[in-house]
Amino acid sequence: MGGAAAGGLIGAAAGGGTTGIIGGVLLGGLVGGAVGNALDQRDKELAMQQAQLSLESAKVGQTSTWQNPDSGASGTFTPTRTYQTDSGQYCREYQQEITVGGEKHDSYGTACRQPDGTWKIQN
């Protein structure tokens, strides 16, 4: 969660507006903490783009990948469950792996689709 908050602050500081802030929160939640600090800006962009794309259109169990040939960082993103809340909001559980500096880091969580079409980490 701390990574999500930090991501949101980064998005706001970068002048990204609502979309930038939501994207920052998504990215921060996905790769927060020490892993996020080890990624360069392009790594973070690639991870965020892949997460948004996967959350929006990948089937459950379908793994997508990203890689930055300049930094050597890479990652996978897999939606593991899709459901609708009682209020009608669509949510997806996911599993993510990021490799940075030869070290693999796993994360799991839930993201829910916002009215503007972006996805926001819930936990």
Side-chain angles (χ1 to χ4, degrees), residues 30-52:
L30 295 174
V31 298
V35 179
N37 291 335
L39 298 173
D40 70 20
Q41 185 60 37
R42 182 67 181 143
D43 298 336
K44 293 175 185 179
E45 289 170 7
L46 291 168
M48 185 176 67
Q49 289 169 0
Q50 193 58 59
Q52 283 284 341

Side-chain angles (χ1 to χ4, degrees), residues 17-71:
T18 302
T19 302
I21 293 168
I22 291 172
V25 170
L26 174 65
L27 179 63
L30 295 174
V31 298
V35 179
N37 291 335
L39 298 173
D40 70 20
Q41 185 60 37
R42 182 67 181 143
D43 298 336
K44 293 175 185 179
E45 289 170 7
L46 291 168
M48 185 176 67
Q49 289 169 0
Q50 193 58 59
Q52 283 284 341
L53 182 62
S54 293
L55 287 166
E56 187 62 33
S57 60
K59 295 177 181 177
V60 169
Q62 180 182 355
T63 299
S64 56
T65 63
W66 63 269
Q67 182 172 16
N68 183 347
D70 295 328
S71 69

